[in-house]
Amino acid sequence: MTSAFAAAAANPAADPAASAGPASPLEIRAFDAPVGAEVLGLDLSQPLDQQTFAQIRRAHLDHHVLVFRDQRITPDQQIAFSRRFGPLQIHVLHQFQLQGHPEVLIVSNIVENGKPIGLGDAGYFWHSDLSYKEKPSLGSLLHAQELPAEGGDTLFANMHLAWDTLPAHLRSAVEGKSAEHTYLAKYAELQKRSPWRPNLSAEQVAQVKAVVHPVVRTHPETGRKALFVSEHFTTRIIGLPEDESQSLLDELFAHSVRPEHLYRHRWAEHDMVFWDNRSLMHLAAGTPDHLRRKLYRTTIEGDVPF
Ligand code: OGA
Ligand code: MN
């Protein structure tokens, strides 16, 4: 005993605590909310070592939304960090790509010379990003570029909690069921109420064919179940008559976004927010029309839901 202890003390490499590497300055502080944590002591402009990267991945799985404060980073640095988690997805609205960076979608209500510079109504309805694709998104990252003096919050709903707390009659109604998701579900409605939705070309429409996903999915990394239907993109539950399907979806949507499942993100300058689309839905709470808001989004590709 004594000699083993002495050996460890004399040779740090033999000490399990020391072999984990130098103490990391990274601090992860969970919010007082059903999802979300703040990551302190990290500069995302610098390449991450393996150990820090592993810590971030773990925290992302545990908290579902990570907020990195005060990140003075370029679009290239956002892309590089995002790519550590998987290949990036290019949004079908190529009109709103950042010049020279097709991986970055501009989310903004700003209109310049009569032309919107970005997607202004992203998140008008509750959704999980790209759930309308065969391979929906693993997670998305939004980096604040310009924030309004008021409004502009983003809400997140914990869909694991939504499943865990779902009343028994709804659980049995959806267990084993699949649902259709389509990008076009609310497109015409959004087009009517905002200037941000261009007419889609035939090629764009072909890129967003409807897909079918399980209503309850299993998170591929944690094994936890989550409800996976949204107001924005889910149109019907397969195998049910239209009226039954719609009323069931309405009940699922209402339950998912109960206040006790939510975290409200109030943006601060240079925030980078990284969320898990496999376990959350999100919503843009809204920005007054006269105030400017601009964020850059990167979107990581995930797995086929099961
Ligand atoms: C998005 C989105 C919400 C917001 O960028 O995917 O839904 O608050 N944004 O801007
Ligand atoms: Mn979104």
Side-chain angles (χ1 to χ4, degrees):
M1 275 304 281
T2 316
S3 61
F5 179 78
N11 173 11
D15 177 350
S19 69
S24 165
L26 201 64
E27 190 190 335
I28 291 156
R29 216 184 276 166
F31 293 132
D32 183 18
V35 291
E38 201 172 31
V39 181
L40 303 159
L42 195 65
D43 176 359
L44 295 178
S45 73
Q46 302 302 313
L48 299 181
D49 60 64
Q50 274 306 329
Q51 189 198 341
T52 308
F53 174 67
Q55 264 182 289
I56 292 171
R57 265 193 70 176
R58 186 67 252 164
H60 191 246
L61 295 174
D62 291 342
H63 300 285
H64 317 296
V65 185
L66 297 180
V67 177
F68 303 90
R69 300 290 187 191
D70 199 31
Q71 298 299 321
R72 316 281 172 134
I73 62 170
T74 65
D76 280 323
Q77 288 163 340
Q78 177 173 352
I79 290 168
F81 175 61
S82 306
R83 279 216 176 107
R84 295 287 300 264
F85 298 88
L88 303 187
Q89 293 171 296
I90 310 281
H91 200 273
V92 61
L93 290 183
H94 54 72
Q95 290 90 338
F96 300 136
Q97 287 170 2
L98 180 64
Q99 185 96 49
H101 297 88
E103 304 86 349
V104 174
L105 174 74
I106 304 175
V107 172
S108 180
N109 63 353
I110 299 171
V111 177
E112 266 164 19
N113 306 319
K115 259 185 77 180
I117 65 161
L119 187 58
D121 61 357
Y124 183 77
F125 296 104
W126 281 101
H127 66 288
S128 168
D129 287 334
L130 311 192
S131 78
Y132 52 84
K133 293 181 85 97
E134 292 285 350
K135 279 188 175 180
S137 162
L138 176 159
S140 305
L141 298 98
L142 266 185
H143 187 222
Q145 303 293 319
E146 200 174 334
L147 296 173
E150 58 177 283
D153 297 350
T154 306
L155 273 66
F156 294 91
N158 184 334
M159 299 301 273
H160 292 307
L161 215 46
W163 169 249
D164 294 344
T165 61
L166 197 65
H169 73 282
L170 291 177
R171 275 190 174 224
S172 53
V174 299
E175 233 158 0
K177 293 265 194 312
S178 300
E180 183 184 76
H181 294 237
T182 167
Y183 183 67
L184 304 177
K186 299 277 191 199
Y187 203 86
E189 185 179 337
L190 288 168
Q191 231 178 358
K192 260 183 246 149
R193 55 166 299 282
S194 84
W196 291 291
R197 298 272 165 176
N199 289 322
L200 297 173
S201 67
E203 194 193 322
Q204 283 171 314
V205 171
Q207 272 181 47
V208 291
K209 292 215 171 70
V211 298
V212 171
H213 293 309
V215 173
V216 186
R217 73 179 292 185
T218 303
H219 194 291
E221 295 184 79
T222 64
R224 288 186 69 186
K225 287 186 169 185
L227 261 187
F228 193 61
V229 286
S230 77
E231 190 187 13
H232 194 160
F233 298 128
T234 310
T235 45
R236 65 193 176 96
I237 295 183
I238 307 297
L240 293 185
E242 180 54 34
D243 55 339
E244 257 181 65
S245 161
Q246 197 50 59
S247 64
L248 182 50
L249 284 174
D250 289 344
E251 285 189 271
L252 296 175
F253 299 157
H255 176 79
S256 299
V257 301
R258 291 170 67 101
E260 62 269 28
H261 301 158
L262 307 186
Y263 161 63
R264 173 182 282 262
H265 184 65
R266 297 180 172 85
W267 290 88
E269 298 293 332
H270 311 289
D271 271 356
M272 168 77 96
V273 175
F274 176 24
W275 67 87
D276 191 332
N277 281 309
R278 303 163 299 185
S279 45
L280 303 178
M281 288 200 297
H282 57 283
L283 177 82
T287 303
D289 283 340
H290 66 286
L291 298 176
R292 291 162 65 98
R293 181 178 190 263
K294 181 167 83 165
L295 307 102
Y296 288 167
R297 184 179 109 188
T298 40
T299 316
I300 304 157
E301 183 176 84
D303 304 310
V304 176
F306 58 90

